[in-house]
Structure formats: structure tokens, C-alpha cells
Amino acid sequence: MNNSHLISFDNTEYAFAYKKKNDLKNAHFLFKAMGMPWLVNIGLKFTPLAIKWKLPFTIPVIRNTIFKQFVGGETLGETSAVARKLGDYNVQVILDYGVEGGDDGEQGFDHSTEEFIRVIEYAATQPNIPFISVKVTGLSRFALLEKIDELMVKVPGTLMKKYLSVTENLPAEEKEEWHRVRVRVMRLCEVAAAKKIGVLIDAEETWIQSPVDALTILMMDTFNKQQVVVYNTLQLYRHDRFKFLQDSYEAAAERNFVLGAKLVRGAYMEKERLRAEEMNYPSPIQPDKQSTDRDYEASVQFCIEHLDIIAVIIASHNEQSNLTATQILQQKNIPLNHPHVHFSQLFGMSDNITFNLAKAGCSISKYLPFGPIKDVIPYLMRRAQENSSVGGQTGRELGLIKKELERRKTG
């Protein structure tokens, strides 16, 4: 089944085949609640406090609502049941261990590293978990990343020249600390390469992103020669990222490695705009949604045109972006499941995209976070916020769920 005109994101039978009627009703209730900004705002303020104060009903309520919708489970064992179910529908999994280290300093970062390695080793035993996701802020002190980034801005030259010059000239103690961060990332990539699991390095806020980019490119230069192990995440709501994608491609061509690129629109927009305003520097965010969409489509096109050197993950909840990608592939007679093309959506959202693309034969996954409830709360709060602020997203989810419930009634 390889024709784009056969791919439709309106087929709710495919979209929700893996969900029981009760699960659909719960999802309907949840998205309805997320469509009420006042309710979401109360939840955002109250939930972290309720957990801190250990209010007795908090955890069960979260577990049975928002946690169940967007998270695989508290443990790898719980999560594997969800992963297996997705696998029955040809949907793979990007495992995301939702704990961000750093509460207890270096010890915390070392602990996170061991946990990530455990997740990689687990993924390697599962037939449909090709990737894990890693946040460098789980392995490094935020303020150190911030300092390196700030210094890099002041140095002329390419990203790599800036990075090397700054990290070489750090004070001895911080140089040593950064060395430990590099070793942690290197260890993860080594295990992943040996186990044939892809490592997706998450995007961070713009003011710590440059050292993350440089480190990720260095890892690609080491590990992406024979296979694709390391992927960088590009947030296209930043106006400089399409150019950055092209520069990264040139580096890959020159250094003879495969560029792993995960394309997303972005996750920190309000925060970014606010900081730029407060600190009086030009906003790194695109002026409007059209500009973001334009750069996203251009990036998809660019990656598909260079599949000899780029492995792309199209991680989008935008129906048009996904459709455009499949159409470009078909126009170029490239198979939808080309080894360098992968699609992905978050677990609990846009099932109409995921399962219909899977049905069409695309290589596709759900981004599946797991971890103790109190640790994944920041992730869940972002989902709630996103669903209430992304125009039409909640309405679209509700409409599709309603349609499927109707279909089951009459079917």
C-alpha cells in the first residue's frame, strides 16, 4: 500500500484499533478537560504542590488520567506491555526515561547515566524499540551548559571552533567537570552502538543549546560512520535552524559521517520569548507560525534529498507535514520505509497520524516516556499546557475520538 492518496488521517478505525472503548471514553474526558484553559491553569499550579505535600488522592488521580494517557508506566516492566501492544500494530517505540538528574549533583548525573545504559540494554532485547531519548541536562549541570554557551557566543568562527576554544580555556575545575559530561555521553553512545540502538539527543533551551549541538556532532563524527547511532534534535520554530541543518549536513559530508536529524517544531516557545524580552536580546523564535511551517517543510525536503548522508526522523503532530513527507518520498520513488526515514509522534496524541502511517507501511514510532509519577510530572505539565495552547489540537483529538465512539456504536 504505497500511494499517498490512500493515506488518510481521518480513518479512526485504524487510529484507535489498539484502544478499548473505556480507554477512549477516558481520553475523551481528559482532552475535554484540557480544552478548558482555566482548569488546566488550576491543575498546573495545584498538581506540583499536591505532590510535594503528599496529598493522599493526588497520585491515584494522576495515574488514572493524564499519566495513563501520555506515559508508558512507572517501570520498564509496565512500559514493555504498552510497547508490545504498539508493536502489534507495526508501531515502534522511542523510550524516554523521564527522570532529569541533577538534584544531587555529580552523583545524580552518574546515576542517570547508569539508568540510561540500563534502558539501552533493555531496548536491545525488545523487537520494536529502535531508539532511546536522552537529555544532556540529565547528565550535566545546567549552569555549566549556560556558561559554555554564553562564552561560545563571544568567540568568532564555526560552531566547532567556538566550542573547542571555549572548552579548552575553561578554569581547571570546570574543564574537569565538562570532561565528565563528555565521558557520560560517550559511554551511552558506545553501549548504544554496540547494541544497535539509536540515541536521540533532546533539544534544550536556546541559551544552553550550542554546547549540546557541538557535543552531539562530535558523537556523530565518532559513531555514525558505519551505522546511525546519534541523532540531534532541531527545533524549527527557531529561525536559525534550517541554516543549522544545512551547515550540519556540510560537516557530515566533509567528515564522512551520517547526520542524524530529528525534526520537531519546538517546545519552549513562551519561555524563549519571555527571556529574550526580559534580557533585551532578539527573540530566537520565528515571527509567526507560517515561518515555522515553511522551515519545517524545507527541512523535510532537504533531508529527503540527501538520504545518502542524512537519516531523518520526522517528529510532528502536523498532519500536513507528515502527508507532505510521504508525497515527496513517492514523487522520488523512495520507499516509505527507507532505512533513513522515520516518523514519530508522542504517545497519547495524534494516533490518527501514527496508526494510519503504520498501515501505509511507514517506519514509525511513538515517543514513550516512563518513570515514577513524581519524576514525569514536568513532562505531563508540558503536555497539558501544550494541548490547551496549541490551537485546534485538543478539538481535533476530541473530534476523532467522538467519531470513533460513534462508529463503534453503529458498527
Side-chain angles (χ1 to χ4, degrees), residues 21 53 71 84 89 104 222 327 357 397:
K21 192 175 177 182
W53 297 333
V71 181
R84 269 198 302 276
Y89 298 89
D104 46 358
T222 305
Q327 284 160 354
L357 285 180
E397 297 282 355

Side-chain angles (χ1 to χ4, degrees), residues 173-310:
E173 207 170 298
E174 286 178 339
K175 199 171 176 179
E176 186 53 45
E177 187 186 351
W178 183 248
H179 175 69
R180 289 195 294 273
V181 175
R182 265 201 348 252
V183 168
R184 287 179 195 122
V185 177
M186 182 77 92
R187 274 192 62 211
L188 292 183
C189 295
E190 275 169 358
V191 177
K195 301 282 184 185
K196 303 220 174 332
I197 295 293
V199 174
L200 316 183
I201 305 288
D202 260 0
E204 304 279 359
E205 290 90 345
T206 48
W207 60 95
I208 62 167
Q209 185 62 45
S210 289
V212 173
D213 284 336
L215 190 55
T216 306
I217 288 169
L218 285 172
M219 293 302 146
M220 288 188 208
D221 192 22
T222 305
F223 295 99
N224 286 15
K225 303 280 194 194
Q226 264 71 53
Q227 53 177 328
V228 196
V229 178
V230 185
Y231 289 76
N232 199 4
T233 302
L234 278 69
Q235 305 194 95
L236 273 312
Y237 73 169
R238 284 181 57 172
H239 53 66
D240 62 349
R241 290 292 93 172
F242 181 48
K243 171 83 169 72
F244 175 72
L245 171 66
Q246 293 167 310
D247 292 345
S248 301
Y249 164 77
E250 307 230 316
E254 191 184 310
R255 302 277 309 169
N256 194 25
F257 64 85
V258 177
L259 171 67
K262 177 181 155 210
L263 306 178
V264 303
R265 274 175 168 77
Y268 307 105
M269 192 156 69
E270 310 305 324
K271 206 179 186 179
E272 290 281 0
R273 285 204 175 117
L274 196 64
R275 186 178 190 267
E277 210 174 296
E278 281 171 1
M279 297 178 70
N280 198 22
Y281 60 84
S283 170
I285 304 303
Q286 301 268 21
D288 49 41
K289 188 177 182 307
Q290 287 79 357
S291 308
T292 303
D293 291 344
R294 181 202 60 225
D295 277 9
Y296 196 92
E297 308 278 314
S299 300
V300 168
Q301 177 99 34
F302 183 82
C303 289
I304 293 173
E305 279 167 5
H306 298 98
L307 290 179
D308 53 332
I309 291 179
I310 301 179

Side-chain angles (χ1 to χ4, degrees), residues 333-399:
N333 279 326
I334 298 168
L336 290 177
N337 61 351
H338 185 285
H340 279 192
V341 180
H342 189 81
F343 294 83
S344 187
Q345 286 79 41
L346 299 171
F347 179 67
M349 285 169 70
S350 302
D351 287 344
N352 63 314
I353 297 176
T354 311
F355 290 90
N356 281 300
L357 285 180
K359 201 79 181 168
C362 295
S363 166
I364 190 154
S365 62
K366 281 293 197 190
Y367 179 93
L368 190 62
F370 76 96
I373 288 184
K374 63 178 188 352
D375 292 328
V376 294
I377 284 295
Y379 175 82
L380 291 173
M381 296 298 100
R382 281 203 296 275
R383 292 292 74 79
Q385 220 162 3
E386 195 176 83
N387 274 294
S388 66
S389 70
V390 175
Q393 177 75 41
T394 306
R396 178 73 170 137
E397 297 282 355
L398 271 173

